[in-house]
Amino acid sequence: MNLTYEKVTPNSKIKTVYNTPVGRDVIDKVLMQMNVSVKWLTNPLIGNLKLKHLKKWIKDPDFLQVFCDLINQEKDVAVQKGGTLTKQWWKEIVFYQIYPRSFKDADGDGLGDLKGIIGKLDYIAEMGFGGIWLSPIFKSPMQDNGYDISDYYQINPEMGTMQDLRDLISGCHARGLKIILDLVVNHTSAQHPWFIEALNNPNSDKRDYYFFRKPDDINNWVSFFFEDAWQIFEEQDIAALHLFASEQFDLNWDNPAVRAEVVKIINFYAELGIDGYRLDVINYISKKPGLPDGNKWVGDLMEFRGIENYYYGENLHKYLKEIHQKAFKPNQLFSIGETPGIGIQMGKLLSADYRQELDLIFNFDHLEIPGKVRYDDYLYDLNFYKEYIMKWNNALSNHDWMSLFFENHDNPRMISKVNPNPRYHQVLGKLIAMLLLTLKGTPFIYQGQEAGFINQTFSAEELRDVESLNKLKQSNLATVLAGSRDHARTVIKWTEQGDFSEGEPWIKGQVDKVSSIEQQLTDADSILNFYKNLIEFRNQNVDFVYAPIEFIYPKRKNFFGYIRNNYYIEINLSSDLFKRPNLKRKSKLLISNYHAATVLKIDPKQKMQPYEANLYLLN
Ligand code: ISL
């Protein structure tokens, strides 16, 4: 099913390189980061240039070789068109992501827990969600809120017990909800017994579970949390690699014993009855042998030095296939990989159905507009999301499927990113719902998003996230607040009094002016009920889920229109009035963020209001 292609060298033409999967994704990413249009490449003058001619602009002597090696390492090309679309439960449901620490506290210690979640399962099911993804709940010193695991087989005491997890799983299944857990196996906490043993006993077999080097033999990589990627242990005269927090050490997947441990973990919770996993930073598991220095030019451009040596490593496919065969497939588990930096073509190679690696990926290219990073303070232009969606839909075959999301526990709230003006809060919150629930793919809604939660303000003392606190050491509070992950981690405002916990919450709650979930449940016009209606619409129209998508007036700026089966969606992506394109087909308005559904027809001559979003039935 796969094609292979010619090896690229510095003598290859740019257009040839652009036709390889990794070449295409890397060039797209670099151009996006530099805020240069891809159209630049369709200019024959540029396309016919040889790679080596880039030396004029990219003055780094090693870059070309690094680039060619990365491209040549991928031997396969993904199927581009056609194929048979298979139906799967995970394509049909709407997922709800829960960040347990901030969701609901049942025992009054100010920290969310499993019993708290169990108490809210009725709410989740009544909203129409079909499954939940839980961020980590395992034993952890919580330096990175559970993404630093110290025992994979124990529930973090602050979250509850193994029996609570069993009750949660059966509580989900009793309501027809699927449940997936977070599998964090790129790294463990420094407090994991494997690491403690590895650090203190050079002869232990655990030594090869991690990456250790002599302190004078470390490379130049930096961590994602703005530190050096190596922690030096003076007493033991050794350094250990951590791509994330200083106490989160990377596991060495080249060691078969590590992969066997991972299979054991996956199987353990499969036996408990879970339906799948979200796999944390799973594309980072295969590091380049010898851990060479990161290229400086790539490092400066991407902000993280070293990344080309592990974000799409040479054994990535092999390791994913192995855990698929040994654990995911036999247990019929769903898998969605968190894959930062992965573009469309690489994403297809990781998740196409015939590849037997992952079922889906989270791609992040749409979260920031070209040239911006998360800590930049700017307004997100929804036209960029439209371009992104069109590009993905054009590139996907029937073997591929995409995830749809704007929010998770690592990103600020989307309403605040697009337009924080309170005037647009309601309509924008609903527009976001319209996009995620009517485009083609599986929607993931993050807790609080269904109620239109927005960014909070934090003083330096109020910040909790390790990444934000590290960032604060090198920049000012305003910069940190532009991108802080804490915006997503504010505790859920269940009632107007809060009602997250009887104790003092570990972090601030949602801003006063956004109404609580309880309040919104009683208001037919709330963002929350808009989500509920749209989810119900989606749940009752499974053929809508699988229907092809046809874009209408794709070149019209500020307008996003598409037809799926006999439904038409029209959206004004801006806060300006917009001259409504006339579809010239009879239609009936079903769901709108401006008009009551009793207004069955909208005058085609009427201008679209700021952020207006409508769903029509075509006859
Ligand atoms: O937030 C990010 C992009 O929006 C990244 O910097 C993020 O750290 C990266 O996507 C990895 O995230 C995952 O692994 C981290 C953990 O801190 C995050 O919460 C998790 O989602 C390390 O386990």
Side-chain angles (χ1 to χ4, degrees), residues 185 208-210 251-263:
V185 284
D208 199 30
Y209 271 38
Y210 298 88
L251 282 166
N252 173 16
W253 275 63
D254 299 329
N255 179 351
V258 167
R259 306 201 298 275
E261 299 277 13
V262 171
V263 166

Side-chain angles (χ1 to χ4, degrees), residues 26-39:
V26 171
I27 291 174
D28 280 353
K29 184 120 206 130
V30 169
L31 292 181
M32 198 171 99
Q33 207 73 18
M34 294 167 80
N35 203 359
V36 175
S37 163
V38 178
K39 291 194 190 102

Side-chain angles (χ1 to χ4, degrees), residues 144 147 187 225 278 280-281 338 374 409-411 485:
D144 189 18
Y147 283 91
H187 43 261
F225 293 164
R278 172 261 191 192
D280 191 60
V281 289
E338 187 210 24
R374 176 154 49 89
H409 62 293
D410 290 333
N411 284 280
R485 307 195 298 183

Side-chain angles (χ1 to χ4, degrees), residues 566-567 585-588 601 616-619:
N566 45 345
Y567 296 98
R585 279 178 70 176
K586 279 202 169 161
S587 60
K588 181 180 156 198
K601 255 186 103 53
Y616 302 89
L617 173 67
L618 298 170
N619 355 76

Side-chain angles (χ1 to χ4, degrees), residues 391-409:
K391 196 166 143 192
W392 272 77
N393 277 282
N394 284 335
L396 299 188
S397 75
N398 282 332
H399 294 290
D400 311 300
W401 193 255
M402 75 185 288
S403 63
L404 300 164
F405 72 101
F406 282 123
E407 295 185 18
N408 61 23
H409 62 293

Side-chain angles (χ1 to χ4, degrees), residues 124-360:
I124 296 168
E126 277 158 26
M127 282 297 292
F129 293 111
I132 58 175
W133 149 30
L134 290 193
S135 277
I137 52 171
F138 312 103
K139 195 166 171 218
S140 160
M142 301 301 266
Q143 191 199 19
D144 189 18
N145 284 358
Y147 283 91
D148 47 332
I149 295 174
S150 57
D151 187 339
Y152 289 96
Y153 300 99
Q154 277 191 58
I155 304 301
N156 196 345
E158 71 167 59
M159 303 267 176
T161 62
M162 201 52 88
Q163 187 52 45
D164 292 337
L165 178 60
R166 286 199 189 92
D167 293 345
L168 177 60
I169 296 171
S170 55
C172 283
H173 290 160
R175 292 167 179 82
L177 294 168
K178 303 283 186 184
I179 170 168
I180 69 170
L181 298 182
D182 219 308
L183 185 67
V184 189
V185 284
N186 172 68
H187 43 261
T188 72
S189 157
Q191 293 185 30
H192 195 291
W194 298 337
F195 187 80
I196 296 175
E197 193 184 326
L199 176 66
N200 295 309
N201 179 2
N203 301 320
S204 151
D205 65 337
K206 300 294 177 295
R207 192 74 166 200
D208 199 30
Y209 271 38
Y210 298 88
F211 296 96
F212 287 102
R213 289 284 180 279
K214 280 285 171 201
D216 56 7
D217 186 29
I218 56 179
N219 63 27
N220 66 359
W221 300 1
V222 293
S223 89
F224 287 95
F225 293 164
F226 312 105
E227 293 171 310
D228 198 278
W230 293 89
Q231 171 91 347
I232 297 178
F233 294 89
E234 274 168 18
E235 197 188 318
Q236 290 84 355
D237 189 31
I238 202 83
L241 176 74
H242 64 91
L243 293 183
F244 291 91
S246 57
E247 303 241 321
Q248 259 168 325
F249 292 99
D250 284 61
L251 282 166
N252 173 16
W253 275 63
D254 299 329
N255 179 351
V258 167
R259 306 201 298 275
E261 299 277 13
V262 171
V263 166
K264 209 171 123 193
I265 298 166
I266 301 172
N267 286 334
F268 180 84
Y269 290 97
E271 264 170 44
L272 242 56
I274 64 157
D275 302 288
Y277 287 99
R278 172 261 191 192
L279 293 83
D280 191 60
V281 289
I282 199 64
N283 57 315
Y284 293 177
I285 56 175
S286 165
K287 275 95 176 161
K288 193 165 194 152
L291 311 182
D293 271 344
N295 180 265
K296 198 173 164 317
W297 189 80
V298 177
D300 288 349
L301 186 78
M302 297 297 165
E303 276 207 314
F304 299 108
R305 206 186 312 122
I307 194 159
E308 72 279 11
N309 294 306
Y310 57 77
Y311 90 112
Y312 196 63
E314 61 187 47
N315 288 315
L316 177 59
H317 294 305
K318 181 176 151 203
Y319 297 159
L320 289 177
K321 283 188 197 310
E322 184 176 326
I323 58 172
H324 179 86
Q325 285 307 328
K326 293 189 175 160
F328 282 93
K329 195 174 179 176
N331 291 300
Q332 293 185 303
L333 295 175
F334 161 66
S335 63
I336 175 160
E338 187 210 24
T339 56
I342 293 297
I344 299 183
Q345 295 301 327
M346 291 145 109
K348 283 165 64 113
L349 288 166
L350 291 170
S351 63
D353 54 11
Y354 57 88
R355 301 272 301 172
Q356 311 244 330
E357 295 184 19
L358 298 165
D359 290 321
L360 265 180

